[in-house]
Each structure stands twice: as C-alpha cells, then as structure tokens.
Amino acid sequence: MASREEREAFVTLATNDTYALGCLVLGNSLQQASTTRKIVVLVTTGVSNSMRNQLSRVFDLVQEVNLLDSRDSSNLQLLGRPDLSCTFTKLHCWRLTQFDKAVFLDADTLVLRNVDELFDREELSASPDAGWPDCFNSGVFVYKPSEETYQSLLHFALTQGSFDGGDQGMLNIYFRDWATKDISKHLPFIYNVVSQAFYSYLPAFTQFKNDVKIVHFIGATKPWHHTYNTSSGKVIPLPESGHSEEFLQMWWKIFMDLVQPALDPTLGGLVGE
Ligand code: UDP
Ligand code: MN
C-alpha cells in the first residue's frame, strides 16, 4: 500500500511551450518549498518533445491528455464547441485516479512556501475570486480525482456551458454550494493571491504580503511577458500589468537560476536586455 504522500499530488497544465515555462517555474517552486507530495503536469500535443524532456526533470509525471481521443464518446459534441476546449482540458485533472486527492494549480501560479496542508481539505476547496468573492477562483483548488466526477463535469459543461467561457464559470455553477455551505471549503486568500490585490487593497497587501503562500499572475500579461535585465538581475515590469514587482522578481529568480540554464536554445529565448 502506497503512503499518503504518494497518493496525493499537485497538478498543473500546459497546452503549449510558453505555458510550459510557467509549469517549470511552478514545479521548481514546489520543490523549493519541500513538498512531500507528487507533482504532475498535464500536457497536450501542443507541447514539444524538447519541452516535455524539461518537464520530466522537474515533475514526477508528465501526462499527455488528448481531447480528440476517439475513445471519448463526447468527441463529436466537443468538436462543435471549440470555445470550451481549454475548459475541457483542465477537467482532465479529475482523471488522475491513481491519486486519492489532488491540488490543481494554474501554470501562472508560484508557490512561496510549503502548502502541503491543503491536502487536509475536501473537494471542492478554493479561495474567493477577488473580482466576485461569491465565486471561487479556479487557479488553485483541492479536488478528488474520480472518473465519475470527470464524466459528470464533462456532461455538465456540454449541456450548461460556462458563463465566462472558461473553466471558472463552469466549475462555479457545478460546485454551486461553495459560497454558502461549508466554510472549511473556503481557502484563505493567501493560497491564491491574485495580482490585482496589489492595487485594489494596497494597505491589506502591505500588511499581509509576508503571509502569502501562493501568488497567481492572472490576466493577459504573464510573468514570462516581462523583460529581465541580465546585468542588473532585475525584472523590468510592463506598465499596467498590475503585478507586484516583488513577486515577479521571485518568479524570475527561479526561472533564471533553475529553468533557463537547462533550456534547449532551439526553444527560443525569453530573456531580453
Ligand atoms: N492554459 C494553457 N494554455 C493556454 C491557456 C491556458 O495551458 O493557452 C492553462 C494554464 O495552466 C493556465 C490555465 O490554463 O494557467 C488557466 O489560464 P490562465 O492562467 O491564462 O487564466 P487566468 O488565470 O489569467 O484567468
Ligand atoms: Mn491563471
């Protein structure tokens, strides 16, 4: 019988090589925080072999997921809904049934300290979304892998769709009692501090920023879009991204120290002057 540590996993996702860079930084941040759990990355055909090799150096499992699997009975319906393809890809995390419990983390998150205590929570536990706190943010959530739940979510998504076109809108309707039923399923905000908190409530950010456990760089601008000056060792934040320079600097430190040196030069450079 495998130990509890081996039956629980952190799970992330990349559909292309750029998001895979985020996964590499995230995976390294989990290792730095000395997690005792397995770490898994889901990839689609959009992730190159060279990048999969990089991922396998950091992750215990690089799991290919294929939405257009001919064994999938929902295939035909899916082909008619290209708008939901990203949503469906995230749902694949429920199929990792070799694990009893898992924590999904977006590729644009960064773990600052050990968060293994999240495995004491039940499905579906998540932090409030800063934009609408009666919804949870789907960038960090605790769940229980189950083929039955996966099928149920897939059916739900196909029939109900998503009010925001993504996984967050769909999951919030599926797990609709999250807001009111059980406070233990509300993760503290420090497990999913979105970049907007920086300017929407600056005094709170200043007061509590040392407690932050997971940072989430939501929005169109991602950490890898900023410029990094190799001579000064400092990130040059793009104006109006809303990202905290301090957190961006932490992302880039892991990238420069642990990810970039091992990258295949044919993958293309990220670092500007
Ligand atoms: N994702 C991906 N490829 C994409 C878009 C999204 O792999 O082209 C995955 C990735 O894990 C990402 C997550 O889906 O972190 C959610 O998307 P994103 O973080 O961009 O959304 P946001 O948090 O900004 O709403
Ligand atoms: Mn995200």
Side-chain angles (χ1 to χ4, degrees):
M1 187 77 183
S3 66
R4 179 181 174 191
E5 282 78 11
E6 287 168 340
R7 288 182 282 111
E8 297 178 340
F10 290 100
V11 179
T12 186
L13 160 72
T15 63
N16 56 49
D17 282 1
T18 313
Y19 272 94
L21 292 173
C23 294
L24 285 169
V25 171
L26 168 63
N28 276 293
S29 75
L30 280 162
Q31 305 285 22
Q32 268 189 355
S34 309
T35 180
T36 59
R37 302 320 201 267
K38 297 292 175 195
I39 60 172
V40 177
V41 59
L42 305 177
V43 296
T44 62
T45 47
V47 179
S48 68
N49 283 332
S50 163
M51 189 54 92
R52 287 173 197 222
N53 288 337
Q54 298 291 329
L55 289 166
S56 61
R57 292 173 58 242
V58 181
F59 287 84
D60 296 299
L61 175 63
V62 180
Q63 175 74 51
E64 163 123 9
V65 293
N66 186 359
L67 283 179
L68 300 178
D69 191 323
S70 56
R71 286 165 298 179
D72 194 330
S73 58
S74 309
N75 235 357
L76 285 175
Q77 281 175 283
L78 271 176
L79 288 171
R81 296 296 305 270
D83 54 313
L84 288 176
S85 71
C86 223
T87 304
F88 283 89
T89 314
K90 210 187 238 192
L91 297 185
H92 274 274
C93 73
W94 263 274
R95 303 190 98 172
L96 294 166
T97 51
Q98 64 269 54
F99 301 106
D100 289 347
K101 201 180 277 180
V103 174
F104 184 89
L105 296 166
D106 265 8
D108 59 346
T109 60
L110 179 68
V111 172
L112 305 187
R113 58 189 73 200
N114 190 289
V115 290
D116 289 355
E117 69 275 11
L118 284 175
F119 293 97
D120 294 336
R121 305 272 180 160
E122 302 301 327
E123 175 174 282
L124 186 288
S125 294
S127 301
D129 185 83
W132 193 265
D134 283 346
C135 285
F136 58 84
N137 183 285
S138 63
V140 176
F141 60 87
V142 183
Y143 71 100
K144 183 169 176 50
S146 148
E147 185 64 30
E148 197 184 332
T149 309
Y150 168 75
Q151 294 297 340
S152 164
L153 280 162
L154 195 63
H155 175 76
F156 187 84
L158 282 166
T159 51
Q160 313 284 310
S162 165
F163 69 78
D164 64 1
D167 56 281
Q168 182 160 314
M170 197 278 282
L171 290 170
N172 267 280
I173 301 296
Y174 187 88
F175 294 103
R176 63 176 76 229
D177 62 7
W178 173 86
T180 51
K181 199 174 171 199
D182 180 357
I183 193 70
S184 72
K185 291 181 179 173
H186 279 232
L187 297 180
F189 189 61
I190 52 168
Y191 289 98
N192 189 348
V193 175
V194 298
S195 27
Q196 272 77 349
F198 180 54
Y199 57 82
S200 64
Y201 196 0
L202 186 59
F205 182 83
T206 310
Q207 175 76 13
F208 299 116
K209 74 174 179 212
N210 292 331
D211 302 333
V212 173
K213 296 193 177 195
I214 304 176
V215 181
H216 185 186
F217 299 97
I218 61 165
T221 307
K222 298 302 183 197
W224 49 86
H225 292 133
H226 298 272
T227 308
Y228 183 82
N229 184 319
T230 44
S231 358
S232 67
K234 291 261 157 59
V235 63
I236 304 157
L238 287 164
E240 292 172 25
S241 73
H243 295 161
S244 141
E245 187 169 339
E246 212 172 319
F247 291 150
L248 275 181
Q249 189 68 34
M250 293 179 191
W251 190 95
W252 273 92
K253 178 160 175 48
I254 295 184
F255 181 79
M256 292 308 290
D257 289 353
L258 302 168
V259 177
Q260 200 268 348
L263 281 185
D264 179 344
T266 60
L267 284 170
L270 245 199
V271 183
E273 276 304 313

